[in-house]
């Protein structure tokens, strides 16, 4: 069981990260941001960066760091906000999000010095690349783990299943995929777009599967991630984390309208008010 | 075309190419029962919600699965339907390039692949969302027709031409909100037949896509300096209008190809390939995106970075003349 100190830390970091998501996304003005997709992933990314992964912002490319590969690249604000909180990137750099000449694009661009391991944005690729990185660790006899954040809609892509089978073939038990199952994709709900039982599919592919009823709950995430990180049963691991798209901002939660768009002043004020309220509860 | 299009030009110009193609697909669907539309989890982005609601049995969302989008469309086409598969140009046709070749090109399937937000229109989203190489890939596939229209009406007319056309088409769309109206009245649009937008004998801009407006702007600048400038709307990149090129090569002193694409394999490449066999043809310079992954920035910033604004084009022409 995760200790309360760590759980509190994750919750504290998650609150700060949500604030960054709103600030950076609002700061992008008319260029907009993928708010909903980032907000559902916050506790997952916070748990990894501040509870589970072995990494060092002072030494971002150390050989034995655990790798984080954000496959659902459009939710880059979840990653950037964690990188900001961890100290990989500065406040000033965060403020350049999506700006002309910035290195913080609307999808991650590989930049290990700042903690960005893999370029992603075309769905499916990040996860398959993560499988290659996990195999490389095995070939080199290194003990670090590879974590990859994948969308539930992203699981529509063929390459996800090509890679999933391959990961089983090579026994990549040093790989943990986390599916951010927020039940919404771009054009509609996952039920409307492609109604499949992904849990059954991952099991059928041969993965070690764990379903989290509340994937925005730090305590259960920490427990699940710790268990899978330590398990070397010869199978790759996947946590299917049930989350809420737009989590934490009342008018975004579960909404189909906040996949990606600009945020106006009024919405910004309302979003900040929600985050402030959450603190006092 | 549909005559109602003429009343929509201002709205279409404001809204950009996504709306033009979606509205036109609605018109085509009303006239042709064999028309079906497909998307890969991009229905609102592709402005196809109205199509989906109006024709629920003729609209298919295959999920985020571009390879399947292409093969599924091919199957529909082989059985007589007329599929229009809409996706981001950066991902459709790029992810399923092999399916585009084997299922569409090889079987000469009557599928129109519509690539929206081509070039670097998706600025702040970064390089995974830029289509800088799509023309090169599709153009190299036999049987394919590649069209990059310049404005709302030509986009509309291109789609009407697609439905009459036998074989696969890649329709590559660039003009966003503020899509300039280059044609305000009906005109003759034929696949493979370019349009001399204006005559001129020194420089010839040969342009594809929505950069036609910038080429015309550059021609204005050059004309003011006494440099006679022809502008050609080469809306079809394949098959290339070699008759027009013969005329340009005989009459102009410098050819400037203008496109929002890599200098390799796009319009510039196609013109250069043909020009290689024309004795005494003039020099060609390429106004294009560089052979590089781009810096991040909005579309305007990237046009400037790559020398694709009207003043940049004028300077490029003048210094090479
Ligand atoms: C290959 C590819 N196709 C389409 C897209 C466009 N796109 C971006 S996000 C998205 C939906 C993703 O849904 P999901 O994986 O459920 O993530 P969520 O936004 O719900 O977190 C789509 C279709 C893309 N980025 N890449």
């Amino acid at each position: 069981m995760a200790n309360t100190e760590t759980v509190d830390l994750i919750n504290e970091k998650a609150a700060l990260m949500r604030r960054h998501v709103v600030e950076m996304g609002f700061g992008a003005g008319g260029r907009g941001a993928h708010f909903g997709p980032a907000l559902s992933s916050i506790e997952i990314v916070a748990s990894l960066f501040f509870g589970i992964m072995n990494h060092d912002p002072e030494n971002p490319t150390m050989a034995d760091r655990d790798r984080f590969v954000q496959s659902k690249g459009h939710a880059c604000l979840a990653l950037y906000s964690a990188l900001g909180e961890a100290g990989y990137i500065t406040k000033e750099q965060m403020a350049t999000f999506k700006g002309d000449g910035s290195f913080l694009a609307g999808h991650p661009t590989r930049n290990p010095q700042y903690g960005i391991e893999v370029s992603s944005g075309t769905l499916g690729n990040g996860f398959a690349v993560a499988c290659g990185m996990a195999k490389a660790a095995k070939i080199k006899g290194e003990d670090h783990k590879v974590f990859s954040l994948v969308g539930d809609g992203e699981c529509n892509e063929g390459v996800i299943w090509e890679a999933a089978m391959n990961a089983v073939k090579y026994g990549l038990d040093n790989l943990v995929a986390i599916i951010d199952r927020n039940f919404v994709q771009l054009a509609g709900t996952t039920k409307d777009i492609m109604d499949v039982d992904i849990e059954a599919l991952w099991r059928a592919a041969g993965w070690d599967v764990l379903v989290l009823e509340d994937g925005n709950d730090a305590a259960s995430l920490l427990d699940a991630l710790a268990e899978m990180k330590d398990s070397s049963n010869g199978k790759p691991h996947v946590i299917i984390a049930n989350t809420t798209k737009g989590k934490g901002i009342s008018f975004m939660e579960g909404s189909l309208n906040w996949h990606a768009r600009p945020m106006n002043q009024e919405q910004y004020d309302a979003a900040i008010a929600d985050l402030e309220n959450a603190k006092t509860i | 075309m549909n005559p109602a299009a003429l009343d929509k030009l201002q709205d279409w110009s404001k809204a950009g190419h996504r709306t033009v193609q979606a509205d036109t697909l609605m018109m085509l669907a009303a006239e042709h029962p064999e028309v079906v539309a497909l998307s890969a989890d991009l229905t609102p982005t592709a402005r196809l919600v109205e199509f989906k609601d109006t024709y629920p049995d003729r609209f298919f969302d295959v999920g985020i699965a571009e390879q399947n989008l292409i093969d599924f469309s091919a199957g529909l086409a082989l059985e007589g339907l007329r599929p229009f598969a809409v996706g981001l140009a950066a991902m459709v046709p790029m992810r399923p390039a092999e399916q585009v070749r084997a299922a569409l090109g090889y079987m000469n399937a009557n599928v129109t692949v519509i690539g929206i937000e081509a070039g670097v229109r998706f600025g702040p989203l970064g390089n995974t969302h830029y289509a800088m190489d799509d023309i090169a890939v599709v153009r190299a596939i036999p049987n394919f027709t590649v069209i990059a229209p310049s404005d709302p009406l030509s986009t509309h007319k291109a789609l009407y031409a697609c439905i009459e056309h036998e074989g696969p088409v890649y329709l590559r769309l660039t003009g966003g909100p503020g899509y300039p109206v280059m044609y305000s009245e009906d005109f003759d649009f034929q696949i493979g037949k370019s349009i001399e937008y204006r005559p001129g004998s020194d420089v010839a801009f040969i342009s594809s896509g929505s950069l036609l407006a910038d080429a015309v702007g550059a021609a204005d600048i050059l004309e003011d300096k006494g440099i006679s400038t022809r502008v050609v709307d080469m809306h079809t990149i394949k098959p290339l209008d070699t008759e027009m090129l013969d005329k340009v090569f005989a009459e102009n002193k410098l050819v400037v190809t203008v496109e929002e694409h890599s200098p390799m394999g796009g319009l510039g490449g196609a013109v250069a390939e043909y020009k290689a066999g024309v004795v005494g043809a003039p020099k060609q310079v390429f106004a294009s995106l560089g052979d590089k992954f781009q810096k991040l920035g909005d579309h305007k910033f990237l046009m400037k970075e790559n020398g694709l604004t009207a003043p940049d084009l004028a300077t490029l022409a003048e210094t090479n003349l």
Side-chain angles (χ1 to χ4, degrees), chain A residues 36-221:
Chain A
L39 290 167
S40 61
S41 299
I42 292 292
E43 280 79 11
I44 298 169
V45 179
S47 299
L48 287 168
F49 272 82
F50 304 105
I52 298 294
M53 289 200 312
N54 171 35
H55 68 115
D56 179 6
E58 297 295 316
N59 186 8
T61 56
M62 70 181 191
D64 62 345
R65 71 191 184 282
D66 290 332
R67 277 33 167 199
F68 174 71
V69 178
Q70 175 142 353
S71 195
K72 50 171 273 188
H74 58 290
C76 59
L77 283 179
L79 171 60
Y80 299 162
S81 63
L83 296 177
E85 272 308 307
Y88 287 91
I89 56 176
T90 64
K91 286 248 153 56
E92 290 70 32
Q93 288 167 330
M94 290 166 86
T96 69
F97 172 61
K98 278 195 175 179
D100 294 346
S102 170
F103 69 93
L104 298 176
H107 296 86
T109 300
R110 176 169 163 81
N111 204 340
Q113 165 198 352
Y114 292 112
I116 306 174
E117 299 280 358
V118 167
S119 299
S120 59
T122 35
L123 295 166
N125 289 340
F127 169 69
V129 171
C131 295
M133 293 169 86
K135 179 63 184 167
K138 291 210 174 255
I139 293 168
K140 295 193 288 180
E142 293 172 358
D143 289 335
H144 64 263
K145 312 289 175 185
V146 180
F147 297 92
S148 184
L149 178 64
V150 181
D152 51 356
E154 187 176 7
C155 293
N156 295 172
E157 279 288 358
V159 67
I160 292 285
W161 302 104
E162 295 174 23
M165 293 185 284
N166 195 47
V168 170
K169 173 178 176 183
Y170 290 108
L172 303 181
D173 54 7
N174 54 347
L175 173 68
V176 182
I178 306 100
I179 312 292
D180 175 358
R181 181 157 64 172
N182 57 30
F183 301 99
V184 175
Q185 44 196 99
L186 188 150
T189 61
T190 49
K191 192 162 172 39
D192 282 345
I193 303 294
M194 198 52 69
D195 191 12
V196 285
D197 181 350
I198 54 170
E199 188 185 327
L201 286 178
W202 284 100
R203 278 192 210 287
W207 282 55
D208 178 20
V209 182
L210 203 149
V211 177
L212 283 189
E213 285 315 318
D214 185 354
N216 292 116
D217 177 62
S220 37
L221 275 167

Side-chain angles (χ1 to χ4, degrees), chain A residues 31 34 98-102 104-107 120-125 153-154 156-157 159 162 185-188 193-194, chain B residues 39 41-45 52 61-68 90-91 95 124-129 295-298 301:
Chain A
R31 297 175 185 202
H34 287 84
K98 278 195 175 179
D100 294 346
S102 170
L104 298 176
H107 296 86
S120 59
T122 35
L123 295 166
N125 289 340
E154 187 176 7
N156 295 172
E157 279 288 358
V159 67
E162 295 174 23
Q185 44 196 99
L186 188 150
I193 303 294
M194 198 52 69
Chain B
S39 129
D41 193 23
L42 278 171
T43 313
T45 314
K52 171 183 170 223
D61 187 331
V62 299
I64 313 172
E66 294 78 10
Q67 300 174 75
N68 181 38
M91 292 159 212
R95 172 157 300 187
L125 291 183
N127 281 281
T128 54
H129 282 56
K295 279 189 197 161
L296 167 73
D298 76 358
F301 170 84

